[in-house]
Amino acid sequence: MLVPALFSLLSRSLEPHSADHTNMEYTKQLLLSCLQNICTKLAPDGGPVAADVLDEDKFMVELVVQCIRASDVPQTHHHALLLLGTAATIFPEKVLLNIMPIFTFMGSNIMRLDDAYSFRVINKTVEMVIPALIQARRLSDDSSSHVDAVVTRIIHVFADALPHVPEHRRLPVLVQLVMTLGPARFLWVLMLLLFKLHATHTASATSEKDAALEKDVDFWISLCSQFEVGEQLASLNHILGFLLQLPEDKDEGASKHGTGRRGAQKKKEEKMEELIFSVEAHSSKELRHFKFISVSFMAQLLGSASFIGKVAGGDDVIDESLQQLQQKLLEDLLRYIHSVARSVEENADKPTAKFWRVLLNKAYDVLDKVNSLLPTDTFIVVMRGLMGNELPSVRRKAMELLNNKLLHRTQWDQDQVAALMQLTSDLLGVVGKCPGKVSEAEEAEQAINRQTALYSLKLLCRSFGSAHQEALLPVLAQSVDIISSPEEEKNVAGSALLCIAEVVSTLKALAIPQLPRLMPAVLAILKDRKDLLSNEIFLLSAVTALQHVIETLLHFISPYLRDATSQVCRLTHLAETSSSSTATRLSTRLSSIRTTLATKLPPRVLLPTVAKCYDDMVVDRKGQLGALMSILKEHICQMEKDQLNSHQSELTSFFLIALDFRAEHSEDDLETTATTEGYVIDCLVAMVMKLSEVTFRTLFFKLCDWRKSDTNERLLTFCRLTDHIAGRLKGLFVLFAGNLVKPFADLLRQSNGSSAADALFESGQGEQKVALLLQYVLDCLHKIFLYDTQRFLSRERADALMGPLLDQLENTVGDPETYRQRVTGHLIPCVGQFAVALADDTQWKTLNYQILLKSRHADAKVGPNLCVDGSIHVPALVLIRDVVTVAPPPSARADECEEVEQQVQKVVQEMENILGEPLQSYF
């Protein structure tokens, strides 16, 4: 009976009175205090009271609320709030119906006061009223959504009132509120409401905006740091989920709202999210600002010293409990990144393009912070969980995070390595094609994921494969399956080839069982196919795979050696003629393969392979012979002496066949033929340099016999070969040069005259071939004379060569320019060195006399010869000038041609300078 009586008196005190206002407020305070004491006595521990003791219908919560509204005295407010807090523990449902007026009043009045008693009243009210709401939610499932909405409104009251709360009271008030509500459940709501408050009430000036944002962020971080790591992570998960369900723009709110993680929830539950941020009630700019602040804060919180300190200070038990939250955070974050990336693409040509790019960068910043905070053991577990996510983009980003960790971390525990190697099965699951039909977009995304998984497997192999070879066997098998399928997407096949390269290098002999499938597949890819040339990265990947297989299992690929060598030579020619960006890298890898073949294979294996490849190429793939000869040359250079001796006969037979290249292609372009012939000659000269005098003599006689055939095409090859050998052997070659005097003298005579071309060569390139033949002969003789230290030019040899050599002054075969170049570049140096090598003075005089006779030649080509640069050049006189340094001065004659006379004067002047005495008396 006492409680109804007290409420009756309270009701009367609320009626308008003319009595003293102070006395009435004091009366209200006494009545409220009495009701407070009664409730405390009846329910000292809080909780329901029997109806016969205290009837709920007779407890008038409305009157208490009216006391708050009608009074302007803080003490009355305090007493009323304390009574409502106590009553909330006894009659939660009844207090719940009147909760908003209570907290609205607190936000507009009491929270603005800066005294300890007001602060205590606020805390007491929150501590006693909020649990009543939670209890009401537990008692009735139907009212749970309503309670969430009411709690959100209460938090909204605190957020809106925060700017008016004294600064030193703000943090304790909000911490008390969140602690009472439950941080894991409602901290994110408070944070989002604070973000919205900032986004919609920032200053206009940029400097003020930055300062306000920095100040607010510091406060937000301080607020979050009051709670445990798990509670903060759960809040970040909720924030990401809320951002995911927001529309891209305000105009799309009707169609997109609620399509995110919470889109399947009931409509009445969406009211809570509308209370947090209503898209319809805010502008597009405010929506974008809200998103940006939310994502930026997450990055700053995860990078803050307080958060990192809490993570570092957690024990193993806590870490284990956080793994699920961390994985969930990464999943939500990757979903959000995928969503923002899609918005970047869709808004690329719109004014908001810059915003979306900046937001994406912020999201990636958050991802980096989360990744860096994960302990290694947790990281592995989380990555494995993410790889099983239903979203392809999440799976791909998880693999990219794994790849980044593998690339930059060098120290791993054994347990961590074992856990990482267990990921191979998950990665192989991603590598395998998903069954069933998929759209083009899904197929493209699947292909990217498969490439990323293959790259992850490659990195795992590189980092830990040597100690876990058995785990890599399925990787090699599945990669070979991929490259064996002709329908496989090229980028995926390229990644598989690179993975194979790494795995084979690691497995070594364990990879041999896969060779019968692996080598044919790689060689089939390297065949001359159109798609190979159009995809340079794919080509480079295939060559890399072949390189690693050859370097690792060279002695087990004999059945495929011929095809492999042919493909290496073909691709070498392709790289040499290509101007693509990958040509340099391709050439480097091919060079490494050629070196491996040349230096690691025994001659008994390589030489037959080279001979077979030559037979394959010489018909229609002549451009590839250069690469083949480079392999043979390098092989010969590294052969031991006993190996060379045992295989000299085989090599000689091969070279005698290869030297016939010019004869077999006599109708081809001379320059192209000379290039290919040069490869063969360089290779043969490399072998000559390793032979002893006895073995070379035998080879030289075989070559001399070889040149004697029905076709004179061999003469060109033989003379060019002897020129190269003379240049390399130098003085040693003079020992064998006696066998060349008569043949060369005969060739000089046969090639002299306008009919020489028809006599020596049948093709239409006769004059060019004769000019080449003369060039080779003169160069070879020049080297013999140059390196002669054994008085090679006896009287008989000098007599045999002098006439044919000097007659070349009159040999005008070829066009004028060819003649000039032959005389100045080849004949004059040869005759000059011939004069140096002569044995006695009488031969010098004979030589000088013969040269002077040639200077009387009336032919314009032999007499005054117009050079390319327009100067007058007389070959015979220039020859006199060169010889005069080693022979007595010759007599000269007058000439009716003014240009010749001028040239004579120049020669005489040079002779006087050389001899040191005048020669005018001789004229």
Side-chain angles (χ1 to χ4, degrees):
M1 294 296 292
L2 182 58
V3 171
L6 291 174
F7 272 110
S8 177
L9 292 173
L10 184 62
S11 177
R12 290 180 185 178
S13 66
L14 291 173
E15 295 176 359
H17 294 282
S18 60
D20 183 55
H21 177 71
T22 304
N23 292 332
M24 291 304 301
E25 290 298 323
Y26 182 67
T27 302
K28 292 178 188 178
Q29 294 170 21
L30 289 175
L31 293 171
L32 292 171
S33 180
C34 289
L35 290 170
Q36 165 75 14
N37 289 330
I38 291 171
C39 291
T40 304
K41 292 291 185 181
L42 293 177
D45 299 326
V49 178
D52 57 344
V53 177
L54 183 61
D55 190 355
E56 182 176 354
D57 294 334
K58 294 179 180 179
F59 194 93
M60 301 177 184
V61 175
E62 297 83 358
L63 285 178
V64 182
V65 174
Q66 191 175 352
C67 284
I68 296 175
R69 288 177 170 177
S71 176
D72 56 358
V73 178
Q75 287 78 10
T76 304
H77 300 159
H78 296 166
H79 281 85
L81 289 173
L82 291 174
L83 173 58
L84 286 174
T86 304
T89 62
I90 303 173
F91 310 118
E93 291 289 344
K94 197 161 188 174
V95 175
L96 181 60
L97 296 175
N98 298 273
I99 198 70
M100 284 315 300
I102 299 171
F103 282 98
T104 302
F105 174 79
M106 286 178 59
S108 59
N109 292 276
I110 298 180
M111 291 177 64
R112 304 185 182 205
L113 301 176
D114 188 14
D115 61 275
Y117 185 68
S118 298
F119 180 65
R120 179 178 175 278
V121 169
I122 295 170
N123 287 343
K124 198 71 175 175
T125 305
V126 169
E127 288 176 358
M128 302 185 73
V129 172
I130 297 299
L133 302 181
I134 306 302
Q135 181 182 0
R137 185 180 184 278
R138 292 196 192 102
L139 294 175
S140 175
D141 292 337
D142 294 335
S143 63
S144 61
S145 61
H146 175 65
V147 172
D148 289 344
V150 171
V151 171
T152 302
R153 290 192 184 97
I154 294 173
I155 300 174
H156 214 309
V157 169
F158 279 79
D160 288 342
L162 194 64
H164 309 289
V165 176
E167 288 192 11
H168 65 285
R169 301 289 187 189
R170 293 176 183 176
L171 186 61
V173 166
L174 294 184
V175 170
Q176 179 65 32
L177 173 66
V178 175
M179 290 296 293
T180 306
L181 290 171
R185 177 164 177 77
F186 287 106
L187 175 60
W188 68 279
V189 176
L190 174 61
M191 299 311 301
L192 286 175
L193 291 173
L194 293 175
F195 300 158
K196 181 180 72 170
L197 181 68
H198 180 92
T200 54
H201 295 87
T202 50
S204 57
T206 304
S207 59
E208 294 177 0
K209 284 183 180 180
D210 294 341
L213 178 60
E214 183 178 357
K215 182 179 179 181
D216 284 350
V217 168
D218 290 341
F219 176 75
W220 299 338
I221 291 176
S222 300
L223 174 60
C224 291
S225 65
Q226 303 300 312
F227 307 102
E228 298 298 328
V229 173
E231 294 166 342
Q232 295 183 60
L233 291 177
S235 299
L236 294 181
N237 282 331
H238 284 296
I239 291 174
L240 280 171
F242 185 82
L243 293 176
L244 274 168
Q245 61 90 38
L246 284 175
E248 183 179 284
D249 203 352
K250 182 177 179 179
D251 297 337
E252 303 171 8
S255 60
K256 288 192 175 182
H257 189 67
T259 58
R261 187 179 59 174
R262 307 175 199 278
Q265 293 181 352
K266 297 178 182 179
K267 184 176 181 181
K268 61 181 181 180
E269 290 183 312
E270 294 175 356
K271 291 182 179 180
M272 174 185 177
E273 294 161 351
E274 288 294 321
L275 288 169
I276 294 174
F277 191 94
S278 174
V279 177
E280 290 77 8
H282 295 89
S283 66
S284 296
K285 182 178 180 181
E286 289 174 338
L287 174 61
R288 291 193 297 272
H289 197 184
F290 174 73
K291 291 179 179 178
F292 178 77
I293 290 174
S294 301
V295 178
S296 299
F297 170 73
M298 286 191 286
Q300 290 172 296
L301 174 64
L302 292 169
S304 65
S306 59
F307 186 84
I308 294 174
K310 281 182 174 291
V311 173
D315 54 26
D316 294 339
V317 177
I318 296 177
D319 286 343
E320 184 178 351
S321 66
L322 290 179
Q323 285 180 1
Q324 190 173 359
L325 280 173
Q326 291 165 331
Q327 179 175 330
K328 186 69 169 57
L329 178 60
L330 278 174
E331 288 179 346
D332 289 347
L333 185 56
L334 293 175
R335 284 194 185 95
Y336 186 67
I337 288 174
H338 178 73
S339 173
V340 175
R342 187 170 60 246
S343 297
V344 170
E345 296 176 1
E346 295 173 353
N347 294 274
D349 55 350
K350 296 181 182 179
T352 57
K354 182 179 179 180
F355 163 76
W356 289 110
R357 289 196 300 270
V358 173
L359 185 63
L360 182 62
N361 290 335
K362 285 292 182 183
Y364 276 122
D365 190 20
V366 177
L367 180 64
D368 291 338
K369 295 285 177 38
V370 175
N371 188 29
S372 62
L373 285 172
L374 289 177
T376 304
D377 295 334
T378 304
F379 171 83
I380 298 171
V381 176
V382 170
M383 288 306 107
R384 187 164 196 175
L386 291 177
M387 285 180 199
N389 191 279
E390 59 184 10
L391 280 180
S393 60
V394 174
R395 295 197 297 270
R396 179 170 64 255
K397 197 61 187 178
M399 291 183 289
E400 290 173 356
L401 292 173
L402 173 64
N403 296 344
N404 186 61
K405 185 78 76 173
L406 290 172
L407 283 171
H408 294 96
R409 184 181 175 120
T410 56
Q411 298 295 327
W412 301 86
D413 296 337
Q414 290 185 355
D415 293 341
Q416 294 170 352
V417 173
L420 284 169
M421 292 307 296
Q422 290 177 359
L423 294 177
T424 55
S425 58
D426 300 88
L427 292 169
L428 287 175
V430 178
V431 171
K433 275 189 174 181
C434 295
K437 294 183 178 180
V438 294
S439 64
E440 291 185 6
E442 291 173 333
E443 185 176 1
E445 190 163 21
Q446 184 184 109
I448 295 174
N449 277 14
R450 297 175 70 200
Q451 287 177 255
T452 309
L454 286 165
Y455 182 60
S456 301
L457 290 168
K458 173 185 171 182
L459 292 179
L460 284 173
C461 175
R462 179 183 299 173
S463 302
F464 319 114
S466 57
H468 300 81
Q469 292 181 327
E470 295 293 335
L472 298 176
L473 293 176
V475 177
L476 179 59
Q478 190 157 343
S479 299
V480 173
D481 290 340
I482 292 174
I483 67 171
S484 300
S485 174
E487 294 83 15
E488 188 60 75
E489 204 270 337
K490 292 296 173 290
N491 291 328
V492 176
S495 298
L497 286 165
L498 293 176
C499 186
I500 286 172
E502 197 68 47
V503 173
V504 168
S505 298
T506 303
L507 289 180
K508 296 181 173 58
L510 291 178
I512 293 175
Q514 289 293 337
L515 278 181
R517 291 200 310 138
L518 172 58
M519 283 303 293
V522 174
L523 293 174
I525 290 173
L526 291 173
K527 293 291 184 183
D528 192 5
R529 288 169 20 188
K530 294 180 180 179
D531 57 358
L532 191 64
L533 300 179
S534 62
N535 194 330
E536 297 172 355
I537 301 300
F538 182 50
L539 170 60
L540 193 62
S541 301
V543 172
T544 302
L546 181 64
Q547 175 189 355
H548 283 256
V549 172
I550 288 177
E551 290 175 351
T552 307
L553 302 173
L554 181 62
H555 300 294
F556 300 93
I557 62 169
S558 296
Y560 319 102
L561 188 58
R562 179 175 178 180
D563 285 343
T565 305
S566 295
Q567 293 306 317
V568 169
C569 295
R570 182 182 71 82
L571 294 172
T572 299
H573 177 65
L574 178 68
E576 290 171 350
T577 57
S578 173
S579 58
S580 68
S581 57
T582 59
T584 302
R585 287 187 292 168
L586 182 61
S587 298
T588 301
R589 283 168 171 74
L590 291 169
S591 176
S592 177
I593 295 175
R594 296 197 305 273
T595 298
T596 301
L597 294 173
T599 58
K600 303 300 182 182
L601 282 174
R604 60 180 176 78
V605 176
L606 182 62
L607 295 183
T609 301
V610 171
K612 292 174 183 176
C613 290
Y614 180 87
D615 293 339
D616 297 337
M617 298 175 188
V618 75
V619 179
D620 55 0
R621 290 187 285 152
K622 296 182 281 291
Q624 303 170 21
L625 288 174
L628 182 66
M629 290 298 104
S630 71
I631 295 174
L632 181 58
K633 178 181 177 180
E634 189 172 1
H635 180 71
I636 290 173
C637 290
Q638 62 87 41
M639 288 177 71
E640 299 292 338
K641 184 176 181 180
D642 55 344
Q643 287 181 322
L644 184 60
N645 290 336
S646 60
H647 292 278
Q648 184 181 350
S649 176
E650 184 179 0
L651 284 168
T652 301
S653 300
F654 169 75
F655 281 122
L656 291 178
I657 295 173
L659 288 172
D660 262 334
F661 180 83
R662 183 186 290 272
E664 294 173 353
H665 300 84
S666 58
E667 302 297 329
D668 291 357
D669 177 68
L670 283 179
E671 185 176 351
T672 304
T673 303
T675 300
T676 304
E677 182 184 74
Y679 297 138
V680 178
I681 289 176
D682 286 344
C683 191
L684 177 54
V685 171
M687 184 183 77
V688 168
M689 296 302 296
K690 296 180 73 71
L691 296 177
S692 64
E693 179 182 343
V694 175
T695 53
F696 173 69
R697 187 181 300 277
T698 303
L699 173 62
F700 185 68
F701 288 152
K702 285 186 179 181
L703 292 172
C704 290
D705 292 337
W706 170 83
R707 71 175 173 84
K708 301 173 184 177
S709 64
D710 296 336
T711 174
N712 285 331
E713 298 289 341
R714 285 186 177 180
L715 293 176
L716 279 167
T717 303
F718 178 76
C719 293
R720 185 181 181 185
L721 175 61
T722 53
D723 176 39
H724 278 72
I725 294 176
R728 295 296 301 276
L729 291 181
K730 300 182 178 180
L732 293 176
F733 186 72
V734 179
L735 300 174
F736 310 95
N739 298 284
L740 300 178
V741 173
K742 186 177 183 306
F744 280 5
D746 292 342
L747 284 177
L748 291 173
R749 280 191 291 269
Q750 293 173 21
S751 59
N752 198 346
S754 58
S755 61
D758 296 334
L760 286 173
F761 302 101
E762 299 177 356
S763 67
Q765 300 172 320
E767 284 199 2
Q768 298 178 48
K769 291 182 178 180
V770 170
L772 275 177
L773 181 63
L774 289 172
Q775 176 183 321
Y776 296 148
V777 171
L778 292 173
D779 287 349
C780 184
L781 288 174
H782 174 258
K783 292 179 178 66
I784 292 172
F785 302 150
L786 178 64
Y787 299 119
D788 174 27
T789 58
Q790 308 293 327
R791 294 206 173 265
F792 169 77
L793 278 180
S794 62
R795 179 174 293 276
E796 294 77 11
R797 291 174 177 171
D799 291 342
L801 291 172
M802 186 182 300
L805 279 174
L806 295 181
D807 287 346
Q808 291 305 309
L809 284 169
E810 303 171 351
N811 187 3
T812 58
V813 64
D815 57 56
E817 177 58 23
T818 301
Y819 168 72
R820 188 192 71 81
Q821 291 180 354
R822 181 170 67 251
V823 171
T824 57
H826 304 281
L827 177 60
I828 291 177
C830 179
V831 175
Q833 200 60 46
F834 176 78
V836 174
L838 287 175
D840 54 55
D841 294 349
T842 57
Q843 291 176 312
W844 285 348
K845 293 179 180 180
T846 304
L847 176 64
N848 291 335
Y849 180 71
Q850 293 297 328
I851 294 174
L852 286 173
L853 289 179
K854 298 300 180 183
S855 69
R856 295 176 178 273
H857 201 285
D859 193 326
K861 291 183 179 180
V862 181
N865 184 27
L866 186 64
C867 297
V868 175
D869 60 1
S871 61
I872 300 298
H873 186 74
V874 183
L877 292 178
V878 175
L879 184 56
I880 291 173
R881 183 192 64 191
D882 289 352
V883 173
V884 76
T885 57
V886 294
S891 59
R893 66 173 178 86
D895 198 290
E896 295 179 358
C897 179
E898 183 179 352
E899 289 82 357
V900 174
E901 184 174 352
Q902 292 176 356
Q903 186 70 29
V904 169
Q905 293 300 328
K906 291 181 181 179
V907 173
V908 170
Q909 184 178 356
E910 290 189 27
M911 291 170 62
E912 288 178 342
N913 293 334
I914 294 171
L915 297 174
E917 59 179 280
L919 299 178
Q920 295 299 325
S921 60
Y922 292 95
F923 297 96

